[in-house]
Amino acid sequence: MKAAVIVFPGSNCDRDMAEGLRKAGADVEMVWHKDTDLPAGVDLVAVPGGFSFGDYLRCGAIAANSPACQALVRHVERGGYALGVCNGFQVLTETRLLPGALMRNAGLKFLCKPVGLTVATSDSAFTSGYNAGQVLNVPIAHHDGNYFVDDETLAQLHGEDRIAFTYAQNPNGSRDDIAGVLSANRRVLGMMPHPERAIEDLHGGTDGRALFAGLVGRFVAA
């Protein structure tokens, strides 16, 4: 699998994301936010966590208008895969590649801690390495992780089995405890917790490793 990781001013998990993909066997290239095109033959575009452009305006709003994100949209419209984590999830909602919005945490405080994360579906390339109902230990680090969608969209997400992860104990006020959602074609995943920070024993756990392994393995099998 060939992957590209987009780097913005303020990204702080770009190398972590690249390392998670490389350890799973992917060929990874870094893409600067001003690049107008993605590397040839890219299967997956990853949008990492951090504070793109200092999170001014709305989180991810400025990054979503970058040349690299315009290339990301074209990639997804062609049927390509995309993964957005934390600030990357915010970017994916700002580009309208995923529904909903990420608002301030219910407690109005920055949260940085491990959380229990329940796998809501294993029916996607991103979650195929897990079992539905499995509870993972994955860290969060966000101030604007409160996921919101309207009632109609929420019903659609449930009806189409597009909720990828939920919080075992909701830390931020997200609707229905949602921590990650899939696109309609199941090729785009946005999630607030950081699986790339849970791939080594020194991280305190390796529950994020199966996300990258399952994703890369799906391409190898194909």
Side-chain angles (χ1 to χ4, degrees):
M1 187 182 89
K2 188 169 184 178
V5 177
I6 302 179
V7 182
F8 303 99
S11 294
N12 63 17
C13 296
D14 46 333
R15 288 182 175 87
D16 306 76
M17 179 70 77
E19 189 68 6
L21 289 164
R22 287 191 182 111
K23 282 185 177 296
D27 176 17
V28 183
E29 291 189 42
M30 311 304 280
V31 174
W32 185 234
H33 69 109
K34 290 186 177 181
D35 291 348
T36 56
D37 294 302
L38 299 172
V42 162
D43 301 300
L44 169 78
V45 178
V47 190
F51 305 91
S52 58
F53 297 95
D55 278 350
Y56 295 118
L57 191 59
R58 296 186 310 274
C59 295
I62 299 175
N65 289 286
S66 67
C69 277
Q70 294 171 24
L72 164 64
V73 171
R74 294 193 298 269
H75 167 78
V76 170
E77 289 175 343
R78 291 193 298 266
Y81 285 76
L83 169 64
V85 172
C86 198
N87 189 221
F89 186 11
Q90 296 161 345
V91 172
L92 293 179
T93 62
E94 289 290 343
T95 56
R96 299 295 183 262
L97 293 175
L98 289 175
L102 281 306
M103 305 189 302
R104 287 286 169 90
N105 295 339
L108 302 181
K109 292 183 178 180
F110 181 83
L111 299 172
C112 185
K113 61 181 181 179
V115 298
L117 192 64
T118 304
V119 180
T121 181
S122 59
D123 184 20
S124 77
F126 304 95
T127 57
S128 61
Y130 303 109
N131 296 316
Q134 184 176 350
V135 179
L136 315 175
N137 186 47
V138 181
I140 58 172
H142 58 249
H143 193 262
D144 297 72
N146 184 351
Y147 183 70
F148 176 81
V149 288
D150 59 33
D151 293 341
E152 181 179 356
T153 305
L154 181 63
Q156 185 177 24
L157 291 175
H158 279 291
E160 297 176 358
D161 190 34
R162 288 169 53 193
I163 298 173
F165 299 102
T166 59
Y167 296 108
Q169 292 186 318
N170 194 328
N172 53 32
S174 291
R175 286 207 73 177
D176 282 17
D177 306 323
I178 292 173
V181 297
L182 294 158
S183 61
N185 68 0
R186 314 185 82 76
R187 293 191 172 201
V188 180
L189 169 67
M191 59 186 297
M192 287 308 296
H194 288 268
E196 77 283 2
R197 295 186 183 181
I199 61 171
E200 298 284 356
D201 290 328
L202 290 175
H203 290 165
T206 60
D207 285 351
R209 188 182 294 171
L211 184 146
F212 297 105
L215 179 59
V216 174
R218 180 69 64 94
F219 281 86
V220 173

